[in-house]
Amino acid sequence: EESLLTIRKEINGTREAKEGNQYIVQLLDALKQIKDVPSNVIHGDFNISNILFSGSNVGAVVDFAETRQGFYEEDLAAVVDELPSYKSQMIKAFEISTGRSVNEQKLNYGLAYRALLTVLIKCRLQPEHEHSEAKQQLEQRMKSLFAVL
């Protein structure tokens, strides 16, 4: 919740606010429906470029500048978002390596949150007609999120 409120504050008065505020309100509503406080420390920017490999093994994870409280599934969502065809394998590996079951609501929240960030970045950097694909993906992620709530 805090990260969403921070984003809302940062985009206030910008052209991103027009696009982002409605989705921020929806994501805040989704958090209430999940009925769990995101209290785990997560990486916050967990993606393929922040994972260093040694052969086929993870050698290190870097760039902890976005570390915050959240759901573990938010970090998993970042990798699933980048490699969607490996979703089931990544979920299985996550569950085996952490001993935790993946909560589909929280995973979908993480995917929607990432899609929101993508839209906001594209709104800032590109003309409106060039970020329609990102907005469509955000709409799809929001539908998936509310379908499991």
Side-chain angles (χ1 to χ4, degrees), residues 36-42 68-72:
D36 192 6
V37 177
S39 59
N40 306 304
V41 176
I42 63 170
R68 61 180 172 82
Q69 287 186 322
F71 300 122
Y72 293 122

Side-chain angles (χ1 to χ4, degrees), residues 10-103:
E10 288 177 5
I11 66 172
N12 188 33
T14 67
R15 72 180 187 154
E16 296 93 75
K18 175 184 160 195
E19 301 290 341
N21 280 329
Q22 68 178 355
Y23 297 109
I24 290 171
V25 169
Q26 290 176 30
L27 286 172
L28 288 168
D29 183 50
L31 280 176
K32 290 176 190 168
Q33 292 184 47
I34 290 173
K35 297 180 182 167
D36 192 6
V37 177
S39 59
N40 306 304
V41 176
I42 63 170
H43 186 278
D45 189 22
F46 195 72
N47 62 68
I48 298 300
S49 66
N50 288 333
I51 304 170
L52 304 179
F53 291 92
S54 176
S56 62
N57 298 314
V58 174
V61 177
V62 298
D63 186 7
F64 289 87
E66 301 296 325
T67 301
R68 61 180 172 82
Q69 287 186 322
F71 300 122
Y72 293 122
E73 288 87 350
E74 289 180 71
D75 280 341
L76 177 60
V79 181
V80 167
D81 189 42
E82 291 182 312
L83 301 167
S85 59
Y86 292 96
K87 178 181 177 181
S88 61
Q89 294 95 321
M90 286 187 278
I91 289 172
K92 184 177 179 181
F94 174 88
E95 291 178 335
I96 291 169
S97 64
T98 65
R100 294 178 165 84
S101 295
V102 170
N103 178 305

Side-chain angles (χ1 to χ4, degrees), residues 76-131:
L76 177 60
V79 181
V80 167
D81 189 42
E82 291 182 312
L83 301 167
S85 59
Y86 292 96
K87 178 181 177 181
S88 61
Q89 294 95 321
M90 286 187 278
I91 289 172
K92 184 177 179 181
F94 174 88
E95 291 178 335
I96 291 169
S97 64
T98 65
R100 294 178 165 84
S101 295
V102 170
N103 178 305
E104 188 176 353
Q105 292 175 331
K106 294 174 184 177
L107 180 63
N108 284 339
Y109 171 82
L111 289 166
Y113 181 86
R114 284 187 53 83
L116 170 65
L117 295 179
T118 300
V119 166
L120 294 176
I121 290 167
K122 289 185 180 277
C123 282
R124 180 169 288 177
L125 300 176
Q126 299 175 341
E128 187 170 341
H129 67 278
E130 291 185 22
H131 59 268

